[in-house]
Amino acid sequence: MSAWMTHQIHNQFDELQDYNLYTTDPILQEILQRYGSRNSVHLSEFGAVVGCESFYHHADLANKHPPILHSFDARGRRADFVEFHPSWHKWMALNRKYAVHAHPFLNFTQESGWVDWAAKFFLSGQVECGNLCPNSMTLGSIPLIQKEPELWKKLGDKLLSTEYDERDLPIAQKKSIWIGMGMTEKQGGSDVRANETTAVPIGPSGRGQAYLLTGHKWFFSAPMCDAHLVVAKTEHDGLACFFVPRWLEDGTKNTIHIQRLKEKVGNRSNSSSEVEFKEAWGIMMGEAGRGIPTIIEMANYTRLTCAVGSSGIMRQALVQSIAYTRQRQAFGKRLIEQPLMRSVLTDLALETEAAMQLSFHLAHCYEHDSELCLAWKRIMTPAAKFWVCKRAVEMTGEMMEVFGGNGYVEHGIMARLFKEAPVNTIWEGSGNVMCLDVLRAISRDPESIEHLFKDLASTASHDKILNEELQGLFRLFHQEPDDLQFMGRSLVSRLVVLSQAVLLKRYAPDFIANAFIATRYQKFHGQVVGMLDPKQVDVTSILNRAFAA
């Protein structure tokens, strides 16, 4: 050995790359088969591309080199242009090619359109989450714009296009476009009714008419989108929703001035901004005075994307943890052979599958308009957004710890996943707002909770633990409104865990469902990950199912 060779590198392993995210996920394949997907070849192709080394590298570069705002050009003219690293455009082009932004609305889509879309969003978000923001918002905008015939006539083909066009030009000159949204203002946050941005009609007022918007948005997502749906108040008709393009039809920029980009904890590849409207031109969408219900319809779709995206974050962190512990040696054994590590990984695997089963079942419900599917969408979309996103924050912290100090450095995907997870708990409404929306949905449509509980009972009634929980929850949901709100987080959390348990009981192997029920309803579960009784879980089967590689 050389006198200067102080150590040799061994027992160190890089994060997993260059694998097919779809073919190594038996849970996802089972879910898709159950809901009638016929796109396994297409999804396998996408899973291979997303998981290849080059796209992991592009994800890393896009987050190491965040967007740059150019407020003015070299001669002092207003530019309001956001420059992105080329790797951002690689990811945007990839997701556009595979219709992550619009899959359920394309003509070729079969009955499993929403479930297939969820699979793509889930796979892509495991590696690079930031670019999913404009994909998510564009997805949510499509059903709203379809209700405006004149707008849809101009925009439909460009919204559905799978050809990426990064050029900053008027919509008429582009091959494809992106749509963002702008709700949040300084004084209101989630309280959109406190918004102060005003809209004044240029001529006639009302739906489909042109207005000039003046005001400010504290969070304006993806300002380089070709247009945004914006909430503003009118003098006589209350709040309304407006389609506000980045460029005007005469080839001049709309007066939307980007004040600055946000310095976020995570989600670094994506641009979030503060903007001012200085008589910016826009068209009213939906009915006057119905701005909040209109934009909330869009938010219901983007809340679904939060749950699916957080499930993807958890899945990636779990796979990385399993792959790492299968190689790393400690105390004379591979980490995955150490009993306490097996307990932690098993708990993480159960949590991840439960999140997946719930998120994809919700996506399936978006395919149908039955009373039961509507109940799932109205109640469980905000509920899942609350719980799954919250759990992703805790789970990524645990999985980061699996890597020890290596998980806490910026060189690798684990730290990025950990910093990415909290954005989904905040974006599209914080946890409290989600719980309030669940209670609001129930109070506005009491029959919806009856349909939901009847559906859960069809499975829960055959299991003593689940049946007792169902009966207890049913009674609690019939309390006085103030008591319901005070207990909102507890009630919604219990409702989600019960729903996950029911779905696992219906669709997952017994060793998964029984382990989930036994562990989630024991006294100390949830205080910290990995508090399991080995007699209650089939550890080997659970871990083998979690990652088939």
Side-chain angles (χ1 to χ4, degrees):
M1 179 184 293
S2 166
W4 299 108
M5 186 177 290
T6 59
H7 68 279
Q8 293 181 335
I9 297 174
H10 62 94
N11 201 29
Q12 288 280 359
F13 305 96
D14 296 327
E15 287 91 343
L16 182 66
Q17 296 181 7
D18 237 0
Y19 73 103
N20 190 314
L21 275 66
Y22 176 77
T23 58
T24 56
D25 191 343
I27 302 164
L28 177 60
Q29 293 172 58
E30 286 179 15
I31 289 171
L32 291 167
Q33 184 178 14
R34 177 169 77 240
Y35 292 121
S37 172
R38 297 194 292 273
N39 285 309
S40 60
V41 174
H42 183 69
L43 290 169
S44 179
E45 175 188 283
F46 186 57
V49 175
V50 169
C52 73
E53 183 179 359
S54 63
F55 272 94
Y56 271 89
H57 184 57
H58 285 310
D60 188 48
L61 288 176
N63 284 275
K64 283 183 177 177
H65 303 281
I68 301 170
L69 172 61
H70 299 281
S71 299
F72 302 93
D73 69 12
R75 295 296 176 264
R77 291 180 288 263
R78 191 88 204 189
D80 293 294
F81 178 78
V82 180
E83 177 187 357
F84 292 90
H85 190 274
S87 288
W88 163 269
H89 294 297
K90 288 284 187 182
W91 269 100
M92 291 287 281
L94 175 68
N95 280 322
R96 193 88 196 195
K97 176 183 177 181
Y98 283 89
V100 175
H101 72 293
H103 179 88
F105 305 102
L106 298 181
N107 291 331
F108 65 81
T109 300
Q110 303 298 321
E111 186 176 340
S112 62
W114 274 101
V115 176
D116 286 329
W117 160 81
K120 294 180 183 182
F121 200 88
F122 173 80
L123 292 169
S124 181
Q126 292 185 41
V127 184
E128 210 298 292
C129 305
N131 82 101
L132 292 182
C133 175
N135 278 276
S136 172
M137 293 187 296
T138 301
L139 178 87
S141 75
I142 290 173
L144 271 69
I145 295 173
Q146 286 177 329
K147 295 178 181 178
E148 310 295 327
E150 290 301 315
L151 268 182
W152 183 252
K153 185 178 178 180
K154 294 179 181 179
L155 307 177
D157 289 343
K158 298 176 190 292
L159 280 168
L160 300 180
S161 171
T162 56
E163 183 176 359
Y164 180 54
D165 188 345
E166 68 183 76
R167 298 174 300 164
D168 186 23
L169 294 170
I171 288 174
Q173 300 176 37
K174 296 195 67 174
K175 300 174 182 177
S176 63
I177 59 173
W178 301 95
I179 305 294
M181 64 195 306
M183 289 192 290
T184 308
E185 298 187 9
K186 295 176 185 176
Q187 70 286 342
S190 296
D191 183 6
V192 181
R193 288 178 176 80
N195 281 9
E196 296 179 354
T197 297
T198 59
V200 178
I202 296 174
S205 61
R207 188 172 192 166
Q209 300 300 326
Y211 285 71
L212 296 179
L213 279 69
T214 301
H216 178 272
K217 294 295 176 183
W218 186 238
F219 274 93
F220 196 68
S221 299
M224 286 301 290
C225 285
D226 298 280
H228 286 74
L229 304 190
V230 175
V231 175
K233 64 180 182 180
T234 60
E235 184 177 0
H236 302 293
D237 298 318
L239 290 168
C241 181
F242 297 88
F243 175 86
V244 183
R246 178 168 165 76
W247 290 81
L248 301 177
E249 291 184 354
D250 64 5
T252 61
K253 283 272 185 73
N254 206 354
T255 49
I256 309 165
H257 295 165
I258 305 173
Q259 294 183 306
R260 62 172 174 171
L261 300 184
K262 299 288 192 180
E263 289 285 340
K264 294 170 293 182
V265 172
N267 201 246
R268 302 284 291 175
S269 65
N270 178 44
S271 59
S272 301
S273 66
E274 297 170 31
V275 300
E276 277 189 345
F277 304 122
K278 298 185 176 180
E279 294 191 333
W281 185 90
I283 296 173
M284 183 183 288
M285 294 179 58
E287 300 297 334
R290 298 282 297 168
I292 294 177
T294 301
I295 203 73
I296 288 299
E297 181 181 344
M298 179 179 179
N300 284 336
Y301 292 100
T302 52
R303 287 170 178 176
L304 173 65
T305 70
C306 288
V308 175
S310 290
S311 299
I313 289 173
M314 291 166 64
R315 169 70 191 174
Q316 177 66 193
L318 174 66
V319 167
Q320 293 292 345
S321 297
I322 293 175
Y324 183 72
T325 56
R326 284 174 177 173
Q327 302 172 87
R328 176 81 167 176
Q329 298 275 336
F331 309 112
K333 294 181 180 179
R334 291 181 302 158
L335 275 176
I336 202 167
E337 296 170 347
Q338 299 285 0
L340 189 52
M341 179 60 76
R342 290 170 71 79
S343 176
V344 171
L345 293 174
T346 299
D347 207 356
L348 296 170
L350 290 171
E351 190 73 33
T352 301
E353 176 160 355
M356 291 174 62
Q357 295 284 0
L358 176 58
S359 297
F360 279 88
H361 185 72
L362 265 178
H364 164 72
C365 289
Y366 276 70
E367 304 277 358
H368 307 285
D369 291 325
S370 67
E371 289 182 335
L372 178 57
C373 283
L374 288 173
W376 272 90
K377 286 191 289 185
R378 287 170 181 160
I379 297 171
M380 295 308 298
T381 298
K385 196 270 189 191
F386 165 72
W387 181 254
V388 174
C389 298
K390 287 285 187 190
R391 297 299 283 164
V393 176
E394 181 178 353
M395 297 300 109
T396 52
E398 285 286 351
M399 292 186 248
M400 189 188 218
E401 187 178 328
V402 169
F403 285 74
N406 288 336
Y408 198 63
V409 296
E410 295 287 357
H411 301 287
I413 195 172
M414 298 305 292
R416 188 166 77 245
L417 294 172
F418 177 71
K419 292 190 294 185
E420 192 73 40
V423 71
N424 285 336
T425 69
I426 300 168
W427 193 55
E428 299 302 0
S430 65
N432 282 355
V433 171
M434 293 303 98
C435 293
L436 291 173
D437 277 359
V438 171
L439 301 180
R440 193 176 296 115
I442 294 170
S443 67
R444 288 177 176 172
D445 183 11
E447 290 187 358
S448 63
I449 193 68
E450 305 288 342
H451 290 304
L452 181 60
F453 272 108
K454 184 177 180 180
D455 182 42
L456 297 177
S458 66
T459 299
S461 60
H462 302 291
D463 183 280
K464 183 176 183 297
I465 294 174
L466 298 187
N467 191 51
E468 288 178 356
E469 176 67 0
L470 178 71
Q471 298 303 322
L473 269 179
F474 187 82
R475 289 190 294 271
L476 287 173
F477 269 106
H478 288 79
Q479 296 180 94
E480 292 299 317
D482 285 350
D483 292 335
L484 273 177
Q485 186 176 139
F486 190 85
M487 296 181 65
R489 286 191 171 214
S490 173
L491 292 172
V492 172
S493 298
R494 289 173 62 181
L495 178 62
V496 174
V497 174
L498 176 63
S499 300
Q500 289 176 328
V502 164
L503 292 173
L504 290 170
K505 196 74 175 172
R506 286 178 185 171
Y507 303 125
D510 286 344
F511 64 82
I512 294 289
N514 293 339
F516 184 84
I517 293 167
T519 56
R520 270 53 189 172
Y521 289 102
Q522 66 184 16
K523 183 175 180 180
F524 296 108
H525 179 264
Q527 292 184 1
V528 66
V529 169
M531 297 177 66
L532 307 184
D533 181 343
K535 298 180 180 64
Q536 295 177 320
V537 293
D538 182 348
V539 174
T540 300
S541 296
I542 292 170
L543 293 181
N544 287 342
R545 174 178 171 81
F547 180 42

